[in-house]
């Protein structure tokens, strides 16, 4: 049974920073990528950033230069450092693991006040 546990969300003022963490547990022998999605109220879930086991990284355009994704393969953990946060970054952020199956965390709320 694979589980993803997220932490690090919260309330921050515009321009501030937050760091999200996602720790995976269970039988994970290899994976295609780990990453972060987000879903704002009334909107579809969107991809934010991903990182492969080889370290290849993708960012959606709206977060480039502000967010940094990193991973620790030994700890099966992925991080999302979010700087220069904007009101429009407000959303529930979900960790995702694409491996033999597709797994999701429970979500963590990020609220940016303007």
């Amino acid at each position: 049974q694979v589980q993803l546990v997220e932490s690090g969300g919260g309330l921050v003022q515009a321009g501030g920073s937050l760091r999200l963490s996602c720790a995976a547990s269970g039988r994970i022998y290899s994976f295609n990528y780990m990453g972060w999605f987000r879903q704002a109220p009334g909107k579809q879930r969107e991809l934010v950033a991903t990182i492969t086991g080889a370290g290849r990284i993708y960012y959606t355009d709206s977060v480039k230069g502000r967010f940094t994704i990193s991973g620790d393969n030994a700890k099966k953990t992925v991080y999302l450092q979010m700087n220069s946060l904007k009101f429009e970054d407000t959303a529930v952020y979900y960790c995702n693991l694409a491996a033999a199956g597709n797994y999701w965390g429970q979500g963590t709320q990020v609220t940016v006040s303007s």
Side-chain angles (χ1 to χ4, degrees), residues 26-110:
R27 294 184 176 182
I28 305 169
Y29 301 107
S30 64
F31 63 94
N32 295 325
Y33 68 81
M34 288 187 75
W36 295 92
F37 287 69
R38 66 186 179 186
Q39 188 166 18
K43 295 188 177 181
Q44 290 188 330
R45 190 172 296 190
E46 66 170 348
L47 175 62
V48 177
T50 59
I51 184 168
T52 68
R56 182 170 294 182
I57 290 173
Y58 167 84
Y59 296 105
T60 194
D61 285 345
S62 62
V63 308
K64 285 180 180 177
R66 300 189 298 122
F67 291 10
T68 303
I69 190 170
S70 60
D72 185 328
N73 286 350
K75 294 182 178 179
K76 299 178 185 176
T77 300
V78 65
Y79 307 95
L80 186 67
Q81 178 67 43
M82 305 185 293
N83 298 328
S84 302
L85 282 161
K86 303 176 181 180
F87 175 76
E88 50 264 40
D89 294 318
T90 296
V92 178
Y93 284 69
Y94 295 92
C95 180
N96 176 247
L97 168 66
N102 193 33
Y103 304 95
W104 294 93
Q106 79 283 1
T108 185
Q109 177 69 46
V110 172

